[in-house]
Amino acid sequence: TDDLTEEEITRCQHIFDKKAIDGRLDLKGFKLVFRVLGEIVASEEAELMFDTGDRDDDNTIDFDEFLRLYSKYRQQEQARKEAILDSVDKLFLCGPGDFIELRKVQQLLLKLQQPDLDARLVREKSDLGVDEVKRLVKSLDINGSGCISKQEFVNILCEHLDI
């Protein structure tokens, strides 16, 4: 919990207290508190975390247990985002703080629709069709600039990828 600020801990405590019964959360409450805190966690991952945190096997966790789990999750999530950000930098040849041109995202996604005739790259074809790729890229262009910040792009990837 050393990575959480006092403000974050206070916010966690406030939300936890609203959803807790007798100072404890069941699995449903645990998942709800994560959602309210803005974290998107797969159901199976939440169940595994909860089981790990439920040290006395009473199917509930207290605030200290919750805070340890939340802090660990945040650390893992941050490491995952940094690894994806590094890959995005290499894939789109970006520097720190740069934006990604959405036309490049579209080009890459459309290229994934085409087979590798030289068979240098073994991959499955994307499930997205050409029109779906264009709609997806257009939906990323929230302000109409034709670009997306790398951090926003990574956040969207993390929301929709189960990795």
Side-chain angles (χ1 to χ4, degrees):
T1 59
D2 295 337
D3 65 311
L4 297 175
T5 65
E6 284 299 318
E7 186 177 306
E8 289 171 320
I9 293 171
T10 300
R11 181 171 181 253
C12 286
Q13 180 79 60
H14 177 73
I15 294 168
F16 181 94
D17 289 345
K18 279 185 163 185
K19 304 300 177 190
I21 298 171
D22 295 327
R24 302 190 71 77
L25 289 175
D26 61 6
L27 178 59
K28 184 177 177 182
F30 176 76
K31 290 178 181 180
L32 182 62
V33 171
F34 258 77
R35 233 183 354 267
V36 172
L37 287 169
E39 301 295 342
I40 299 167
V41 183
S43 188
E44 301 81 26
E45 184 180 1
E47 290 168 16
L48 184 62
M49 278 193 303
F50 184 85
D51 290 342
T52 302
D54 181 17
R55 293 186 176 159
D56 59 1
D57 289 329
D58 68 350
N59 294 317
T60 64
I61 58 170
D62 64 22
F63 181 68
D64 289 337
E65 291 167 328
F66 172 81
L67 207 54
R68 273 193 300 278
L69 294 170
Y70 181 69
S71 176
K72 184 177 179 183
Y73 172 81
R74 290 265 311 261
Q75 289 171 354
Q76 291 170 339
E77 188 67 9
Q78 188 58 39
R80 180 172 86 144
K81 284 183 178 181
E82 287 172 12
I84 293 173
L85 190 57
D86 185 50
S87 295
V88 166
D89 283 344
K90 290 174 185 168
L91 190 60
F92 294 104
L93 302 173
C94 301
D98 285 348
F99 285 78
I100 300 169
E101 292 179 49
L102 289 170
R103 69 176 179 78
K104 290 182 179 180
V105 174
Q106 183 169 313
Q107 287 170 348
L108 177 67
L109 292 173
L110 290 174
K111 190 173 186 176
L112 291 174
Q113 300 299 341
Q114 323 237 328
D116 184 7
L117 299 177
D118 296 332
R120 291 177 306 203
L121 192 59
V122 177
R123 68 176 189 273
E124 290 187 30
K125 185 178 173 188
S126 167
D127 291 341
L128 296 175
V130 173
D131 290 339
E132 292 168 311
V133 166
K134 290 179 179 179
R135 273 196 303 277
L136 170 67
V137 171
K138 187 174 182 167
S139 75
L140 296 175
D141 195 3
I142 296 168
N143 63 4
S145 68
C147 296
I148 187 170
S149 77
K150 288 188 306 184
Q151 192 60 56
E152 187 178 6
F153 186 70
V154 169
N155 289 343
I156 289 169
L157 284 176
C158 288
E159 285 178 23
H160 298 286
L161 296 177
D162 187 20
I163 52 176

